[in-house]
Amino acid sequence: MISRVYRATLFALYQLCIVIGIVAMPLAIAARQAGFTLPIHRLLSNVEQAYETAQPR
């Protein structure tokens, strides 16, 4: 039961990170033109990896 809640929470967090990435895209484009990048891709890949690792085999 706890693992189901954990997986559901990770899935919700993953979806939230995707939405944040989409919403922040204009800011990310402006930041890249200014010379630095936002680390949203690292956050998304870390959450994705945690979600995939939590999947039952």
Side-chain angles (χ1 to χ4, degrees), residues 6-24 40 43-52 55:
Y6 179 70
R7 284 194 311 266
T9 303
L10 280 176
F11 180 72
L13 182 61
Y14 180 64
Q15 295 298 316
L16 180 65
C17 288
I18 290 174
V19 169
I20 289 171
I22 291 170
V23 170
I40 295 172
L43 174 69
L44 186 60
S45 66
N46 288 339
V47 172
E48 178 184 16
Q49 184 179 20
Y51 177 69
E52 288 179 356
Q55 293 300 316

